[in-house]
Amino acid sequence: MSQSLPRGRTVMTANEAAAYAVVLARAQAIGCYPITPQTLIVERLAELVAGRDDVEYANLDSEHSMLGYVIAASRVGVRTFTATSSQGLLYAHEQLHRASRERVPLVMVNVNRSVFAPWSLEPDLSDSMSQRDTGWIQLYCSSAQEVMDSILCAYRIAETVLLPVMVCAEGFLLSHTSEVVDVPDQAAVDAFIPEFRPPKEWVLDPDVPRAFSGLPEPKEYAAFQRNVADAMDEARNVIETVGSEFGSHFGRTKIGALESGGNPEADTALVSIGTIGDSARELLDDDGELLIVRVHTYRPFPAAELSSVLSRAGSVCVVDRASAFGSFGPLGGDVRSLRLEHASAVTNFICGIGGTEVTPATLRWALHQARSSSAARGGLGPMYVPEGV
Amino acid sequence: MKEMLFVGRGGQGVVLASQLLADTLARAGYWVQSFPEFKAERRGAPISAFLRWDEAPIHRRYKVRECDVLVVISASPPSPEIIGCVRPGGLILLNRETRFPHVGPYEIARVPGSFIARRNSVLSSEGRPMGNVAVLGACVRLLVPDGLEFLEQAIVSRMGTRAEANVVAAREGYERCTVQRRVAGDTAVEPATGPAVSGRRQSHARFPVSRTDSLLNHTGSWSEDRPVLTGECTACALCALFCPEGAIARTDHAMVIDYLYCKGCGICEVVCPVRDAITMEEVSA
């Protein structure tokens, strides 16, 4: 395998696109532990950085250690990268809380894979969505191009607000899918992502020994948590600004809070996330009375943007690809929390669990229920789309 | 948009074939999407890969269950279920020298991919012919006749030192592809019922515990080749250690292969330290 980066229009998987983005972003410390379907990212990175003395590539003994490694590396003041999936992400769970609360600007790709038990290699979003309250910014992608672009934006966002960013991409549907990706030049990326300059008091410096994350008074502890929430709020604007700048700098569609399509005046809106939002475009071919919205930034939740784009919809149909036991799906619950001017019903559907197929037929079934069934309206939880509809 | 289904066995380069054709079509100016059906990734297991191409960006993010083109990389003929995935007016391309004596609402084309591979020494690490690239040559002939140079570029870009022989195989596949004419005696393929590519759906169980005795999962039915022990075998049992199915055992200082579970992956042959102690032989149909 070549160590040179492709340029321009090239066929690659989202996993390869991720690896190239990380090299283009000049990550200096890469912490690795393999897990399907993410493994190809760190394998490709290993080939790309082999023999380079300006990049440290570390094989760790678990995802938990891997997160510890990139947190420590970041605190030395270098840009880092790591990637995982499913059980790996869950195993690193406590480190996720630590990374955000210590304000470490990590960038991690989570290739979404269904959660054990029973075993599955196939995609759903339960792994990363169950981490939504760990203080990580979460971006969900719908193409290999978007994975590459989101990673490049993620470094800017993370290093501006000092919060970690998780770039999420469904396994196989993206990770192992080869498609056309436009790879930017190194010089253009260098002009977009400035050198990482962490705050001085934050960096590990052997000449100035200090205690990190010691045992503060309750009030102080609470204030640190509040800082995370404030940084998350600050991220809303930063994501929009970085997205706009990215679009004009690289001549591509802006990646920000969300993407919408179809009829903005339509009475029915379909809100989804990840690749479902891409497949949903097919519905527009024969449904002129539909607005489709794909959420790209899931945390911080784009409440203002969604309220605005959904302000005219009477019926909002929210499709989740994550398990929710005992309440609404993650996205469904969040959309239901919005105050929507004209929505008489926000219905929530769950499909695509464990890699089950989500086709236009799946979404039409959900829309049909949302538009016609009174049973679905205002229920106490989500509806599960039956298989093979 | 055109949709294509590649089928074969793990280790035959099914996924690679789909990716190389995607690259070829992208070089010819199309938008493409190629991805594998991914189960436990083991040699010898049934594998599918999907390919879509279009003049506009592709937004379908689900598997190909009905296709315009079916490409069969393995030498064994496709099942009625797989053939049932082909849309009327579609095309089936087989890696096969002899006629496929069936008819249906599709065209059938053939290319002797494995033969071409063997002749050009395009072999797997176990020495088996890799017919996938010759089959791709035929695909290009049938789908984008001007695209052979793009296929060659895709092969060179992907395969490095192995590119040269593969390019030759691709060119031969391109030349030796034939569309089959119907003859008297060709029969229709019995239509299959039920889902085509993935397993048959069962009623849902309450707990994730298998309902049947795992010993009844006769993986030996997968095999296209099988290892045969010769008199050179020293019964060192290294093969038994590496056999992923646990299908080899030592009894009374001799190795015994349980063909009920041997899926013909050939790992035993590769790890065997004794020359000619294990030979791989084709399983007659």
Side-chain angles (χ1 to χ4, degrees):
Chain A
M1 279 289 191
S2 160
Q3 278 194 302
S4 62
L5 295 176
R7 281 176 62 177
R9 211 170 170 272
T10 312
V11 175
M12 65 182 72
T13 62
N15 275 348
E16 288 173 295
Y20 294 135
V22 170
V23 173
L24 284 167
R26 298 192 184 278
Q28 295 159 281
I30 302 168
C32 305
Y33 191 82
I35 181 169
T36 299
Q38 167 281 132
T39 304
L40 292 168
I41 299 178
V42 294
E43 282 184 357
R44 190 76 190 94
L45 276 169
E47 291 161 348
L48 287 165
V49 305
R52 278 176 59 168
D53 54 15
D54 58 338
V55 182
E56 188 172 296
Y57 182 100
N59 283 306
L60 281 305
D61 54 20
S62 74
E63 290 85 354
H64 191 277
S65 310
M66 177 177 89
L67 262 290
Y69 169 83
V70 284
I71 289 169
S74 187
R75 299 222 71 149
V76 175
V78 301
R79 187 169 286 152
T80 69
F81 177 73
T82 189
T84 191
S85 292
S86 190
Q87 304 312 116
L89 183 70
L90 303 183
Y91 189 41
H93 172 78
E94 65 161 328
Q95 298 274 36
L96 302 186
H97 284 283
R98 173 187 167 198
S100 62
R101 286 158 162 91
E102 289 196 336
R103 309 293 301 282
V104 186
L106 305 178
V107 172
M108 171 165 70
V109 169
N110 182 63
V111 178
N112 292 104
R113 166 180 158 183
S114 306
V115 169
F116 181 72
W119 285 118
S120 170
L121 304 176
E122 302 265 346
D124 71 35
L125 306 180
S126 305
D127 55 352
S128 56
M129 287 208 149
S130 68
Q131 307 304 305
R132 69 177 182 183
D133 296 333
T134 54
W136 285 59
I137 292 166
Q138 289 196 345
L139 310 176
Y140 286 82
C141 302
S142 70
S143 69
Q145 183 76 63
E146 202 174 79
V147 169
M148 172 169 278
D149 297 354
S150 296
I151 291 170
L152 298 177
C153 290
Y155 282 106
R156 280 281 302 273
I157 298 162
E159 291 167 15
T160 304
V161 301
L162 292 177
L163 280 181
V165 180
M166 193 184 296
V167 176
C168 301
E170 283 145 273
F172 305 108
L173 292 171
L174 294 174
S175 70
H176 286 59
T177 297
S178 301
E179 53 192 45
V180 177
V181 176
D182 192 3
V183 184
D185 288 349
Q186 183 68 66
V189 174
D190 288 344
F192 179 71
I193 309 178
E195 206 180 314
F196 175 38
R197 288 202 183 83
K200 279 210 168 61
E201 73 270 27
W202 180 94
V203 177
L204 281 170
D205 182 351
D207 293 334
V208 190
R210 286 163 301 179
F212 289 80
S213 302
L215 196 65
E217 291 299 315
K219 269 186 201 169
E220 274 186 279
Y221 176 90
F224 287 124
Q225 312 306 307
R226 177 63 194 272
N227 288 348
V228 176
D230 290 346
M232 211 30 121
D233 285 337
E234 184 194 349
R236 295 174 201 279
N237 291 330
V238 173
I239 289 166
E240 283 300 295
T241 311
V242 168
S244 298
E245 214 181 296
F246 182 87
S248 54
H249 188 77
F250 294 99
R252 267 206 285 286
T253 325
K254 178 187 137 193
I255 318 170
L258 45 85
E259 178 189 79
S260 64
N263 182 355
E265 314 275 329
D267 185 58
T268 307
L270 180 86
V271 182
S272 60
I273 190 162
T275 61
I276 294 175
D278 205 26
S279 295
R281 291 185 190 213
E282 277 196 290
L283 298 172
L284 300 176
D285 293 345
D286 53 9
D287 192 342
E289 290 304 311
L290 182 65
L291 166 70
I292 59 167
V293 180
R294 179 173 65 84
V295 173
H296 177 246
T297 303
Y298 178 59
R299 280 297 179 273
F301 189 64
E305 291 84 353
L306 273 167
S307 298
S308 168
V309 75
L310 297 172
S311 63
R312 293 171 191 171
S315 171
V316 178
C317 171
V318 188
V319 178
D320 266 295
R321 182 173 220 150
S323 294
F325 306 129
S327 188
F328 290 95
L331 189 60
D334 284 334
V335 174
R336 284 176 68 93
S337 74
L338 300 171
R339 275 194 59 194
L340 300 173
E341 290 288 317
H342 291 102
S344 55
V346 178
T347 44
N348 183 205
F349 297 87
I350 291 184
C351 58
I353 297 298
T356 48
E357 293 270 79
V358 181
T359 67
T362 318
L363 301 177
R364 280 192 200 101
W365 187 91
L367 281 170
H368 180 72
Q369 298 294 320
R371 280 167 165 159
S372 65
S373 163
S374 55
R377 291 171 185 242
L380 299 175
M383 287 186 80
Y384 285 78
V385 182
E387 230 186 299
V389 291
Chain B
M1 187 191 310
K2 294 283 184 192
E3 296 185 303
M4 188 168 196
L5 173 61
F6 287 82
V7 295
R9 302 282 179 157
Q12 293 175 339
V14 176
V15 177
L16 177 65
S18 172
Q19 289 174 341
L20 283 172
L21 191 58
D23 193 6
T24 304
L25 291 162
R27 287 169 194 267
Y30 291 98
W31 292 89
V32 295
Q33 186 193 69
S34 156
F35 59 112
E37 168 108 80
F38 208 84
K39 300 238 169 78
E41 192 178 35
R42 291 189 300 181
R43 299 184 80 77
I47 298 274
S48 313
F50 312 114
L51 175 61
R52 294 187 171 103
W53 72 99
D54 199 354
E55 284 163 8
I58 296 163
H59 296 292
R60 277 185 196 176
R61 299 285 174 184
Y62 46 91
K63 292 165 187 168
V64 172
R65 291 295 180 226
E66 274 183 20
C67 64
D68 303 289
V69 184
L70 167 67
V71 179
V72 184
I73 302 277
S74 52
S76 48
S79 67
E81 286 176 344
I82 296 284
I83 289 177
C85 296
V86 183
R87 294 190 177 110
L91 170 70
I92 299 175
L93 175 61
L94 303 170
N95 173 13
R96 190 178 166 100
E97 285 175 66
T98 55
R99 288 192 83 260
F100 184 61
H102 294 284
V103 291
Y106 35 71
E107 282 207 293
I108 298 173
R110 299 193 314 264
V111 60
S114 300
F115 171 82
I116 294 170
R118 194 183 295 279
R119 205 173 61 180
N120 290 290
S121 300
V122 178
L123 305 173
S124 69
S125 52
E126 302 90 344
R128 278 187 268 178
M130 294 292 286
N132 57 345
V133 172
V135 172
L136 284 187
C139 278
V140 168
R141 172 76 172 268
L142 296 163
L143 303 172
V144 274
D146 298 336
L148 187 59
E149 62 170 311
F150 299 128
L151 174 59
E152 292 177 11
Q153 288 167 10
I155 292 169
V156 168
S157 147
R158 178 71 186 252
M159 301 183 106
T161 54
R162 291 174 299 136
E164 205 176 324
N166 276 286
V167 165
V168 173
R171 283 182 194 153
E172 267 191 53
Y174 185 92
E175 293 303 328
R176 297 201 50 182
C177 168
T178 52
V179 177
Q180 185 170 295
R181 282 163 203 259
R182 291 182 185 191
V183 298
D186 284 351
T187 55
V189 174
E190 286 294 321
T193 51
V197 179
S198 38
R200 213 168 283 275
R201 245 177 76 87
Q202 297 178 334
S203 61
H204 294 296
R206 190 169 171 211
F207 303 110
V209 178
S210 70
R211 282 185 254 188
T212 54
D213 184 340
S214 300
L215 292 174
L216 297 175
N217 182 17
H218 294 156
T219 44
S221 64
W222 300 357
S223 54
E224 294 193 346
D225 297 288
R226 67 186 197 181
V228 176
L229 296 163
T230 71
E232 304 295 320
C233 175
T234 61
C236 72
L238 197 62
C239 53
L241 191 65
F242 279 88
C243 175
E245 293 298 323
I248 310 179
R250 182 162 58 183
T251 52
D252 298 335
H253 305 292
M255 303 310 298
V256 178
I257 299 173
D258 188 343
Y259 292 116
L260 204 54
Y261 300 106
C262 167
K263 59 189 168 69
C265 67
I267 291 173
C268 53
E269 187 203 10
V270 174
V271 300
C272 178
V274 181
R275 198 185 179 89
D276 297 331
I278 299 176
T279 59
M280 295 300 292
E281 292 179 5
E282 206 170 317
V283 177
S284 51

